[in-house]
Amino acid sequence: MKKNRTKIKLSQCMIVKNEEKNIRRALSWGKGIVSEQIVVDTGSTDRTVEIAREMGAKVFYFKWIDDFSAAKNFAIEQASGNWIAFLDADEYFTAESAKKLLSIIQNVDVLRYSGRKVDVIREKLVNVDNAGKIGVIAHQDRIFRNEPDLRYRNRIHEGLERLDNQSYVFYDAREELNIIHTGYTKEAFDQTGKTERNIRMLKKELEREPQNIDTLAYLGDSYLTKSQPDEARRYFHQAVSAGLENGETERHTLLRSIVMLLVLYARKYNPDDEKTVRELYRNYQDMHSEHPDGECYFGFWLYQKKNYAEAEERLKTALEKVGRYKAQFSVYMSSDLKLVYAQLADCSRHLDKKDEAVRYSVMALGVDKYYTYPLIMLLNLLKGEQGEAETASGTWDILSQLYNVSSLKDQMTILKGAKLTAFAALEKRVFDAMPEDQRIAVQEAMHQKAEEMRAHANGLEKAE
């Protein structure tokens, strides 16, 4: 006999301030799916509230007190549904995920794990920048029961917790439900003043708990957003020290802090940092040897050190691990795959592994065909093949698989590579693929550019 199923009533909740650019999309995904839409405004001065009302949302007001949890918990208290979907204004479910949502909740509503009901449904969060490029893929817990003992905690970077001090039970729906997050670009933070606000709030939290690893790591993130890497590094180091001292070796925040430090040391290479960097890598290995990020960013640091053999080993290991990693922690290297392949190509080149260098260059261009670094490597490698400097025949065949050789943008990309590598035969191939009028226009533009550069150089000589 089937169990009696409770009718699912889903309340969509959000807190907002000056989100007129996002609010319509944020409410649109829930139309026809949720039973009500709760919008709590914390002080908007634009059309956010007006648009929300136009779209049928119930609007409430909450005086901002520098506490995200307080505002979110207030929103929950206005909801009448037995389940809640709590997304931010710069987040939305994909259309495919939204269609599945109610049936998934209906199935999860009757689940029991070890006699306990499921409190929360976990989703995949995909960060997307202004150009639509996918960044970090993480997980979030945004669908949960509307029960009085399940509320948000922490002034900033708030998280769900049970008030009875038990850990909540979650159902992992990351393969089924995807949330798109568009807000974590530097431009979005600059436009809304979020960075300064976050630093102010985090420092208040730090006064209360000076060794709180989450607060320290979030400060590191905030200073990275402000393009202050030295301050970011200082707080990430404090987070690592606090985590290790407290024996929190399984914490995601500790792993992420180590990874961000490896990223920062790779970006600003200094040979004097070697002891510190290798210690961070050892800490990573002791904690999460199956996670790929530590291998990747330690590999990037080794590449900067010109230790090509060890860098190659680490980067290959990172690729092996990312292919099989299924655990819950975020993976940052997914957004850096083109650089992984490009650095592997250059390592292979330095280690006299020409075939591998060609293969990894092609793989890097497969991720981003307009990435100049691997294109130059590839053309230099192929130009050295027998007969290629005269005909570019084999090179053209390979490039034809990567590029649309009838597209002007792709033609100009290849032409740029041919110019930078002095690959005259390839340059001829590109011009031969162009219609005559287009070829003449491009050649004239290139000639004019060359004349301008020559005139500029002559002017500099006379000035000296």
Side-chain angles (χ1 to χ4, degrees), residues 31 71 128 138 159 170 220 245 283 303 320 342 350 370 438 447 454:
K31 292 299 180 185
V128 177
F170 70 88
E245 285 173 16
N283 289 331
Y303 176 80
E320 290 169 6
H350 280 92
Y370 303 117
Q438 182 177 300
H447 177 72
R454 195 174 295 113

Side-chain angles (χ1 to χ4, degrees), residues 453-464:
M453 291 174 68
R454 195 174 295 113
H456 179 67
N458 289 337
L460 287 176
E461 278 184 20
K462 289 177 182 177
E464 289 175 358

Side-chain angles (χ1 to χ4, degrees), residues 231-246:
E231 279 295 288
R233 183 156 34 177
R234 180 165 72 88
Y235 280 109
F236 282 129
H237 269 300
Q238 288 182 40
V240 171
S241 296
L244 293 175
E245 285 173 16
N246 295 332

Side-chain angles (χ1 to χ4, degrees), residues 137 163 168 213 231 340 343 429 434:
I137 297 174
L163 302 184
Y168 58 71
I213 181 175
E231 279 295 288
V340 174
Q343 289 195 4
R429 287 263 179 184
M434 291 181 178

Side-chain angles (χ1 to χ4, degrees), residues 8 14 25 33 88 113 127 151 178 191 194 228 251 293 324 328 348 374 384 430 455:
I8 298 301
M14 70 179 75
R25 182 179 59 194
I33 297 166
D88 294 337
Y113 292 142
N127 290 280
R151 289 292 185 268
N178 293 314
Q191 287 169 8
K194 288 180 180 178
Q228 295 183 18
R251 289 289 300 277
D293 281 349
R324 61 175 184 261
Q328 62 178 331
S348 298
V430 177

Side-chain angles (χ1 to χ4, degrees), residues 195-236:
T195 306
E196 291 297 341
R197 177 207 65 194
N198 287 359
I199 289 173
R200 182 184 71 247
M201 293 172 66
L202 287 164
K203 286 187 174 178
K204 283 184 183 177
E205 286 289 297
L206 208 58
E207 289 173 7
R208 187 169 61 85
E209 289 185 82
Q211 289 295 98
N212 186 297
I213 181 175
D214 294 315
T215 305
L216 290 164
Y218 287 135
L219 273 166
D221 291 333
S222 297
Y223 278 108
L224 265 185
T225 303
K226 282 193 71 178
S227 299
Q228 295 183 18
D230 292 339
E231 279 295 288
R233 183 156 34 177
R234 180 165 72 88
Y235 280 109
F236 282 129

